[in-house]
């Protein structure tokens, strides 16, 4: 049989030695949506030794325009994303060991899965999970590659514990705008641009070519023809609670987590974030989702078959469900 990696080995920075290293490494991808499936396919085709994929969701028709590996039948059958992805990935390369986990990633559930992981790729859909992951990976000294996209825009950055600014540092320097795919939409080329950066950085790390790593935060807007590399090394903060000299890893503590509870007899789930809501900003990015009503204390939105009420103190009520998992999904679709 012809060498399936022959063209990749002809690329001098990888070569035969680099290909062998790729085949010995273990990557974990957190999230199996647009970024997750495309990165997973790239890495499986590249010959990664072991791949762990984690996601709590199932395939829906609204996923199909941008999320690789899924089919209409997967959406009809509501197959969990990691199960559908695992099946397709094994058909692409049966030599790769693939572990699929249907779970809600927390510091408790994620920690045991990180044993002997060489690299993590961020493919999550919310900053609560990212900040938890950032703290955990800083604590465990595991590198990871941040990536996010919405509309026609995206960004990516490679985070090396104790060597580069962590996500907490970056967000202090450049806070996110809060837009989500459900409020602003997304086009698939934006996904592919982020994935191109993430997978390439992953290959560099896998073969040990640290000199070729991109040291800047890359941002782009494909529709408006913007592309920028931003130097962020000065954002590294020695007092950062996640990567500083006296790190406390705040997002691993219970008081910093987003909390949920079912309100008895009301068919409602309450979600309590660890921060106050900026109602004016939230109303602005929700206006494309539906009619937003509110006052100085709360916002109300009818979304799909649910009524969602956001309070200034950080609480959100999801009326129309008694499922915590479903409520969290709706919350992150809207809040990001």
């Amino acid at each position: 049989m012809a060498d399936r990696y022959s063209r990749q080995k002809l690329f001098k920075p990888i070569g035969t030695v680099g290909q062998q290293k790729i085949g010995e490494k273990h990557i974990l991808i957190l999230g199996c949506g647009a970024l997750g499936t495309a990165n997973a396919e790239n890495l499986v085709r590249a010959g990664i030794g072991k791949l762990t994929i984690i996601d709590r969701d199932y395939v829906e028709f609204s996923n199909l325009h941008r999320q690789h590996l899924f089919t209409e039948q997967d959406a009809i059958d509501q197959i969990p994303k990691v199960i559908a992805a695992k099946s397709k990935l094994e058909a692409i390369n049966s030599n790769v060991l693939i572990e699929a986990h249907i779970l809600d990633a927390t510091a408790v559930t994620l920690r045991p899965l990180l044993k002997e992981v060489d690299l993590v790729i961020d493919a999550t859909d919310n900053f609560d999970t990212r900040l938890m992951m950032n703290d955990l990976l800083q604590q465990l000294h595991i590198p990871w590659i941040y990536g996010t996209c919405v509309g026609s825009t995206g960004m990516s950055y490679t985070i090396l514990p104790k060597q580069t600014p962590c996500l907490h540092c970056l967000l202090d320097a450049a806070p996110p705008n809060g837009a989500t795919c459900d409020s602003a939409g997304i086009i698939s080329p934006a996904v592919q641009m982020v994935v191109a950066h993430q997978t390439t950085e992953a290959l560099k790390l896998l073969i040990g070519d640290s000199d070729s790593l991109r040291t800047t935060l890359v941002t782009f807007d494909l529709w408006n023809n913007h592309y920028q590399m931003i130097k962020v090394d000065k954002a590294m903060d020695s007092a950062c609670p996640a990567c500083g000299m006296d790190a406390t890893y705040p997002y691993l503590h219970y008081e910093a987590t987003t909390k949920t509870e079912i309100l008895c007899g009301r068919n409602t789930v309450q979600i309590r974030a660890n921060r106050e809501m900026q109602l004016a900003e939230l109303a602005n990015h929700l206006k494309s989702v539906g009619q937003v009503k509110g006052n100085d204390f709360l916002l109300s939105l009818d979304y799909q078959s649910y009524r969602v009420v956001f309070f200034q103190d950080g609480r959100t009520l999801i009326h129309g469900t008694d499922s915590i998992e479903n409520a969290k999904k709706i919350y992150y679709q809207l809040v990001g």
Side-chain angles (χ1 to χ4, degrees):
M1 182 184 294
D3 182 355
R4 69 189 301 158
Y5 307 117
S6 61
R7 302 304 186 272
Q8 189 162 276
K9 290 193 290 187
L10 284 172
F11 180 62
K12 289 184 179 179
I14 293 180
T16 301
V17 174
Q19 187 63 51
Q20 182 176 348
K21 291 179 180 178
I22 292 170
E24 296 170 349
K25 297 300 174 64
H26 179 191
I27 285 184
L28 182 146
I29 298 179
L30 186 53
C32 204
L35 296 179
T37 51
N39 270 296
E41 181 175 345
N42 286 348
L43 291 165
V44 164
R45 291 186 184 277
I48 187 70
K50 181 178 179 181
L51 181 68
T52 297
I53 51 177
I54 299 172
D55 198 284
R56 64 189 173 199
D57 210 351
Y58 58 85
V59 182
E60 300 178 85
F61 274 92
S62 62
N63 303 149
L64 299 182
H65 92 282
R66 69 193 185 283
Q67 297 188 12
H68 281 210
L69 305 178
F70 303 143
T71 66
E72 290 183 353
Q73 194 60 50
D74 293 328
I76 291 170
D77 295 337
Q78 296 185 320
I79 303 297
K81 289 184 176 181
V82 292
I83 301 303
K86 184 175 189 290
S87 174
K88 310 301 190 307
L89 292 169
E90 288 176 337
I92 291 170
N93 192 342
S94 60
N95 295 320
V96 178
L97 176 60
I98 299 171
E99 287 189 359
H101 297 274
I102 310 168
L103 58 79
D104 187 20
T106 67
V108 174
T109 60
L110 191 57
R111 188 182 292 272
L113 301 179
L114 289 167
K115 293 178 180 178
E116 299 180 353
V117 165
D118 297 291
L119 173 67
V120 173
I121 292 181
D122 165 35
T124 60
D125 62 0
N126 68 87
F127 277 93
D128 284 334
T129 302
R130 285 191 180 103
L131 287 166
M132 174 278 295
M133 179 175 66
N134 179 71
D135 280 13
L136 186 56
L137 297 180
Q138 289 292 326
Q139 188 180 66
L140 299 175
H141 301 284
I142 299 174
W144 66 286
I145 304 173
Y146 165 62
T148 183
C149 51
V150 64
S152 60
T153 68
M155 63 177 65
S156 181
Y157 185 67
T158 302
I159 297 175
L160 306 177
K162 306 304 180 184
Q163 297 180 49
T164 69
C166 74
L167 183 63
H168 197 285
C169 296
L170 292 179
L171 295 184
D172 278 348
N177 64 17
T180 70
C181 295
D182 288 81
S183 63
I186 188 168
I187 56 173
S188 60
V191 175
Q192 298 310 311
M193 178 69 87
V194 174
V195 170
H197 285 286
Q198 286 186 301
T199 303
T200 304
E201 290 290 282
L203 291 173
K204 294 174 188 177
L205 284 166
L206 295 178
I207 67 171
D209 189 1
S210 57
D211 291 340
S212 295
L213 288 171
R214 176 174 36 78
T215 58
T216 54
L217 171 69
V218 60
T219 71
F220 63 83
D221 183 337
L222 292 175
W223 204 262
N224 293 299
N225 307 306
H226 296 159
Y227 188 90
Q228 190 174 14
M229 298 283 212
I230 305 171
K231 292 184 177 180
V232 294
D233 51 299
K234 291 184 179 179
M236 193 170 183
D237 182 2
S238 61
C240 174
C243 70
M245 296 293 292
D246 299 307
T248 58
Y249 312 112
Y251 287 90
L252 301 184
H253 302 158
Y254 175 78
E255 57 270 17
T257 61
T258 297
K259 300 166 185 67
T260 58
E261 62 178 311
I262 300 170
L263 301 188
C264 184
R266 294 182 57 186
N267 197 33
T268 298
V269 173
Q270 175 176 273
I271 297 177
R272 181 184 291 276
N274 65 336
R275 59 192 179 279
E276 289 190 352
M277 292 282 186
Q278 302 299 316
L279 295 182
E281 294 179 13
L282 184 60
N284 186 55
H285 94 252
L286 289 178
K287 63 185 179 182
S288 61
V289 177
Q291 185 178 2
V292 181
K293 302 176 183 179
N295 50 44
D296 291 341
F297 310 101
L298 60 83
L299 297 177
S300 177
L301 170 72
D302 289 330
Y303 178 67
Q304 299 175 0
S305 60
Y306 310 97
R307 184 163 61 90
V308 185
V309 182
F310 303 94
F311 293 87
Q312 188 177 35
D313 66 0
R315 288 180 302 116
T316 301
L317 298 181
I318 314 289
H319 297 284
T321 181
D322 59 4
S323 165
I324 288 176
E325 288 301 310
N326 194 37
K328 288 173 70 175
K329 177 180 176 182
I330 295 162
Y331 177 81
Y332 288 128
Q333 284 176 343
L334 295 174
V335 175

